[in-house]
Amino acid sequence: MAPSIRIGVVAPGTRIDRDLAERLKAFATDHFLDRAPEIVVHPQCFLSAGHFAGDDDARLKAFVEYANEPALDAIWFARGGYGACRIAEAALAQLNGASRTKTYLGYSDNGAILGGLYARGYANVAHGPIPVDLTRTGGEGAVKRALSWLIDRSPESVELGVMFDGKTAAFNIAVLQSIMGTSLEPNLEGHVLMLEDVGEYLYRLDRALFQITSSANVRSVKGIKLGRVSDVPENDKPFGANEEEIARYWCAKAGIAYLGRADIGHDVENKVVPFGALKR
């Protein structure tokens, strides 16, 4: 029986182990049966060059190769970490027409590429779970949610607000801050912008949200929703406000509507948020 779709996996940032790739393929077969996709993991995902899954050139070539491959239906980013911003602009400049037919899914550091794709008019870009989530306790649900989205756009995979918010986009706060003012920053006018983060001191989130909400682009959004902010390091003195109070503060200063919480984050409950209007 032919696979429902073919999904290419690449690692623009840090590497994954070979056993995760095998677990991922077995999981897809076991949980989707006659709808099971073929998951094609690029060998680049297993390379190691310091922090990265291969040097910049290897990571760039792997992404371009799979994005331009007509026989693949989707690109799924293996994990986050760091490294996508180092290759994003050069890689996006090498994409062909076949790359525009694909769905792209990832989150965390991959937001640099996702934002750049959306800025260039790619229609099927989404923030959502990635293969490395399978290594987390309870991560099977996250990976099943991602595969359900990639296979047939299951509405059960998406963040609930997406069904009602019109146009949406989602980013890790630190990643969005890093791409602002570059060619990777998409036009967010009229979008509900969902933001999440992990492992950042509250003062750094405060600083990042100052910059983000000072942007004319972000001030054109319909509003901001805050996802989960997890694993916050303890400062040497209490900051004096929690993450939601910080978000409310900067939204109020910028005249941006604060629209409450979003069901996204660096965790196994992370939901899919497509960029743009939900395609039913």
Side-chain angles (χ1 to χ4, degrees), residues 187-239:
N187 182 354
L188 297 171
E189 182 178 2
H191 291 62
V192 171
L193 175 61
M194 303 186 193
L195 300 172
E196 51 82 23
D197 218 310
V198 63
E200 296 285 356
Y201 285 97
L202 289 174
Y203 76 85
R204 290 182 179 171
L205 293 176
D206 189 76
R207 180 190 297 148
L209 287 172
F210 154 66
Q211 182 178 358
I212 288 169
T213 58
S214 295
S215 157
N217 183 22
V218 174
R219 289 187 177 187
S220 72
V221 300
K222 181 178 178 181
I224 287 177
K225 289 185 175 180
L226 182 67
R228 288 176 289 280
V229 175
S230 56
D231 298 336
V232 177
E234 187 173 346
N235 199 18
D236 60 348
K237 59 181 66 66
F239 183 74

Side-chain angles (χ1 to χ4, degrees), residues 28-62:
T29 299
D30 291 344
H31 287 78
F32 290 89
L33 302 176
D34 61 332
R35 295 191 301 136
E38 180 182 356
I39 298 178
V40 186
V41 181
H42 199 289
Q44 168 270 322
C45 293
F46 313 126
L47 298 179
S48 182
H51 174 88
F52 307 105
D55 61 23
D56 288 356
D57 189 55
R59 300 193 324 279
L60 185 155
K61 286 180 176 177

Side-chain angles (χ1 to χ4, degrees), residues 102-113:
K102 292 177 175 56
T103 299
Y104 296 82
L105 182 65
Y107 73 106
S108 189
D109 182 60
N110 301 298
I113 295 177

Side-chain angles (χ1 to χ4, degrees), residues 8-38:
V9 178
V10 294
T14 49
R15 70 185 302 275
I16 61 170
D17 294 329
R18 292 182 183 275
D19 65 339
L20 173 58
E22 296 308 312
R23 286 179 59 196
L24 187 65
K25 294 175 184 179
F27 180 89
T29 299
D30 291 344
H31 287 78
F32 290 89
L33 302 176
D34 61 332
R35 295 191 301 136
E38 180 182 356

